[in-house]
Amino acid sequence: YHTNFNLGNLLRKMGRNDRAIVAYQRAIQQEPERAEAHYNLANCYWDQSQSQTAASHYEKALTADPDAAVAGLAHLRLGSVRLVEKSYEKAEVHLLEALRREADSFMANYCLALVYLDMPSEEPKWMLPAKALLHAQKATELRPADEDARDIAQIALAAFEKAKPPE
């Protein structure tokens, strides 16, 4: 296992994802319950824009060991995949779990702001824009120079102002 896993890591660092995939697959054949191997394999597929295959291995990493060191990152990547798919409820679950594991995650806050801006809801119409604004402001606080975060914060503020009940 360790030989194939380490080889996969080395090949990935060298930009040889095609060969790294083979090495990680061999490591997984030897020890299928190793979350790190599934996570690294998923990252190779992610880098090749194969988000569905990547998502499958992020899920396998979480199934293999929900408390693994890579679990928070797997939740973050799964949340990102589900956001792109417009599976907002699933994205929210994974991104909130990523935040539970790392409260100061810029990307989890940023993606949650996007989820709440696009997610349909039966809640009061101001609730999701308020959540979007909260996470966008946190993302901006974490990376003040990030223009995308500032733009999302402005969009969330405008959505909240539009949706909030009159005083």
Side-chain angles (χ1 to χ4, degrees):
Y1 168 83
H2 291 289
T3 301
N4 285 310
F5 181 77
N6 291 333
L7 177 60
N9 290 342
L10 179 62
L11 289 166
R12 186 158 186 259
K13 283 180 186 175
M14 294 170 57
R16 301 296 307 268
N17 278 357
D18 52 335
R19 294 205 176 176
I21 287 170
V22 173
Y24 290 132
Q25 288 172 334
R26 287 182 183 150
I28 290 167
Q29 285 175 343
Q30 293 167 331
E31 293 189 32
E33 297 305 311
R34 298 296 284 259
E36 291 80 7
H38 284 288
Y39 177 77
N40 288 1
L41 177 58
N43 285 337
C44 288
Y45 287 121
W46 177 274
D47 292 345
Q48 293 181 338
S49 300
Q50 296 182 42
S51 62
Q52 290 307 309
T53 306
S56 171
H57 284 283
Y58 290 130
E59 288 171 353
K60 288 177 183 178
L62 292 171
T63 300
D65 186 355
D67 297 318
V70 297
L73 296 171
H75 279 292
L76 178 59
R77 289 288 177 99
L78 271 171
S80 299
V81 170
R82 300 306 178 225
L83 171 60
V84 170
E85 295 172 345
K86 299 187 185 308
S87 298
Y88 299 116
E89 292 81 12
K90 290 179 182 179
E92 179 186 33
V93 167
H94 287 293
L95 293 167
L96 286 172
E97 182 58 25
L99 270 184
R100 187 186 71 76
R101 292 167 185 262
E102 185 186 337
D104 287 338
S105 169
F106 166 80
M107 193 54 69
N109 277 291
Y110 180 82
C111 288
L112 271 168
L114 295 174
V115 165
Y116 292 136
L117 284 171
D118 288 344
M119 178 184 244
S121 175
E122 309 239 342
E123 297 177 16
K125 68 179 187 174
W126 58 268
M127 182 68 73
L128 290 180
K131 289 180 180 181
L133 182 57
L134 173 77
H135 289 286
Q137 287 175 331
K138 181 65 176 179
T140 303
E141 176 186 308
L142 291 167
R143 288 196 193 159
D146 191 290
E147 290 183 32
D148 290 334
R150 289 197 317 262
D151 289 346
I152 292 301
Q154 289 177 347
I155 292 167
L157 179 60
F160 177 71
E161 291 292 331
K162 182 179 175 185
K164 77 178 181 179
E167 294 176 15

